[in-house]
C-alpha cells in the first residue's frame, strides 16, 4: 500500500533534511501547501481566481480551499506511489479531510513527529552562524569555527547570525509551533497513526527509523499505548 507521510517537527528539528532524504531515496514527491497554492494561483480558472482573491485580501486559505488544492495535486500521476505532506494538515479539520482523501486514493497515512527537546532546538537555532563569503554553516555549540566568530576558510570574514535566530524570536516560534501542533499530535495519537522518532540523533539514524515505520516495522510504541 502506498503511503501518505505527514511529517511533523518544530523549526530546527531536522524535518527538512528527512523530507529531502525521503524524496531522494524513495522518489516520493514532497507536497508543500504553500508551493502548490502559489503555483495553482497562476492558472486561469475559477479555482485559481478563488485562491488569488484570498491572497489579495491577505487572508489564510480556508480548510476547504486548501483541501481541494491538495486533493487535486495529490491526484496527479507522480503521487500514485505515495507522497510527503509539508504544511498540511494544519488543523484537525484538515486531518479529517486527509482521512477521506487517503481512503479514496487507497493510501495509508503515517504521521511522523521528529521529536527534539526544546532546549536542544534553541541551541541548534540560536547557535547557528554562517560565513558571508562561502555560506558555510557553523554552530557555536555543536560545530564551532576554529577561531571565534570567523570562518575557517575565510579568517577575515565575520560570521553572521540571521536576525530571526535571536533567543526571544526562536522561543516565540517554538511556542507557537507547540501550541498549533498539540491538537494534531492528539488527533494522530488517537487514531493510532502517530510515530514519534527521536530527533536528537544523526540524520541517518532518524532516517532509518522512518524507513522502518514506512515498512510497517514497529520502531517504538507510542507513549500512551
Ligand atoms: Zn567562508
Amino acid at each position: 500500500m502506498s503511503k501518505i507521510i505527514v511529517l511533523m517537527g518544530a523549526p530546527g528539528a531536522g524535518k527538512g533534511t528527512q523530507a529531502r532524504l525521503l524524496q531522494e531515496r524513495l522518489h516520493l514527491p514532497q507536497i508543500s501547501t504553500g508551493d502548490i497554492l502559489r503555483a495553482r494561483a497562476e492558472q486561469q480558472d475559477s479555482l485559481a481566481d478563488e485562491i488569488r482573491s484570498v491572497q489579495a485580501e491577505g487572508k489564510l486559505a480556508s480548510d476547504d480551499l486548501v483541501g481541494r488544492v491538495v486533493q487535486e495535486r495529490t491526484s496527479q500521476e507522480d503521487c500514485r506511489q505515495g507522497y510527503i505532506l509539508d504544511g498540511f494538515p494544519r488543523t484537525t479539520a484538515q486531518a479529517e479531510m486527509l482521512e477521506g482523501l487517503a481512503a479514496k486514493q487507497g493510501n495509508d497515512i503515517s504521521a511522523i513527529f521528529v521529536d527534539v527537546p526544546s532546549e536542544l532546538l534553541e541551541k541548534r537555532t540560536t547557535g547557528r552562524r554562517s560565513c558571508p563569503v562561502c555560506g558555510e554553516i557553523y554552530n557555536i555549540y555543536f560545530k564551532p569555527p576554529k577561531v571565534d566568530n570567523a570562518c575557517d576558510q575565510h579568517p577575515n570574514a565575520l560570521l553572521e547570525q540571521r536576525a530571526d535566530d535571536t533567543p526571544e524570536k526562536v522561543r516565540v516560534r517554538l511556542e507557537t509551533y507547540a501550541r498549533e501542533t498539540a491538537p494534531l499530535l492528539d488527533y494522530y495519537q488517537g487514531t493510532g497513526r502517530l510515530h514519534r522518532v527521536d530527533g536528537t540523533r544523526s540524520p541517518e539514524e532518524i532516517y532509518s527509523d522512518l524507513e522502518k515505520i514506512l515498512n510497517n516495522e514497529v520502531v517504538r510504541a507510542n507513549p500512551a499505548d
Side-chain angles (χ1 to χ4, degrees), residues 131-136 138 151-154 157 159:
C131 171
V133 179
C134 65
E136 179 70 21
Y138 296 89
C151 178
D152 294 349
Q153 307 303 322
H154 304 95
L159 297 183

Side-chain angles (χ1 to χ4, degrees), residues 21-210:
L21 292 174
L22 287 167
Q23 255 180 308
E24 285 171 4
R25 297 178 184 176
L26 303 180
H27 308 292
L28 297 177
Q30 184 182 5
I31 310 298
S32 146
T33 40
D35 291 346
I36 58 175
L37 278 169
R38 262 189 300 280
R40 193 60 184 78
E42 314 247 301
Q43 297 183 21
Q44 297 302 327
D45 60 13
S46 60
L47 181 56
D49 289 342
E50 204 177 324
I51 298 168
R52 280 196 301 268
S53 80
V54 169
Q55 289 172 335
E57 290 170 43
K59 285 189 196 158
L60 269 182
S62 66
D63 287 344
D64 170 65
L65 181 57
V66 176
R68 277 184 286 149
V69 173
V70 168
Q71 168 154 8
E72 183 188 80
R73 175 62 188 87
T74 59
S75 302
Q76 289 174 18
E77 182 64 29
D78 64 335
C79 290
R80 196 175 285 179
Q81 299 304 318
Y83 48 89
I84 308 157
L85 285 172
D86 177 23
F88 185 89
R90 249 188 228 296
T91 63
T92 49
Q94 290 181 355
E96 282 165 2
M97 201 181 286
L98 184 63
E99 293 288 336
L101 184 59
K104 214 185 295 175
Q105 293 174 338
N107 281 326
D108 190 28
I109 300 169
S110 291
I112 300 176
F113 181 61
V114 183
D115 200 358
V116 179
S118 56
E119 197 188 284
L120 180 54
L121 287 172
E122 283 182 31
K123 283 186 170 174
R124 281 185 182 176
T125 316
T126 60
R128 193 158 54 189
R129 302 286 185 278
S130 67
C131 171
V133 179
C134 65
E136 179 70 21
I137 309 281
Y138 296 89
N139 187 295
I140 57 170
Y141 303 108
F142 308 117
K143 188 195 167 196
K146 293 193 181 97
V147 176
D148 269 1
N149 225 21
C151 178
D152 294 349
Q153 307 303 322
H154 304 95
N156 295 323
L158 278 186
L159 297 183
E160 293 176 341
Q161 180 177 28
R162 282 198 340 216
D164 276 356
D165 287 349
T166 62
E168 299 72 31
K169 288 186 175 174
V170 169
R171 212 155 292 157
V172 168
R173 284 213 297 277
L174 291 177
E175 281 168 10
T176 305
Y177 180 82
R179 191 174 57 243
E180 288 177 350
T181 311
L184 273 181
L185 290 178
D186 287 347
Y187 176 87
Y188 281 122
Q189 180 82 54
T191 56
R193 299 196 187 288
L194 184 66
H195 301 270
R196 285 177 190 268
V197 300
D198 174 2
T200 63
R201 299 163 304 157
S202 74
E204 288 297 341
E205 286 173 303
I206 299 170
Y207 182 78
S208 106
D209 272 5
L210 263 55

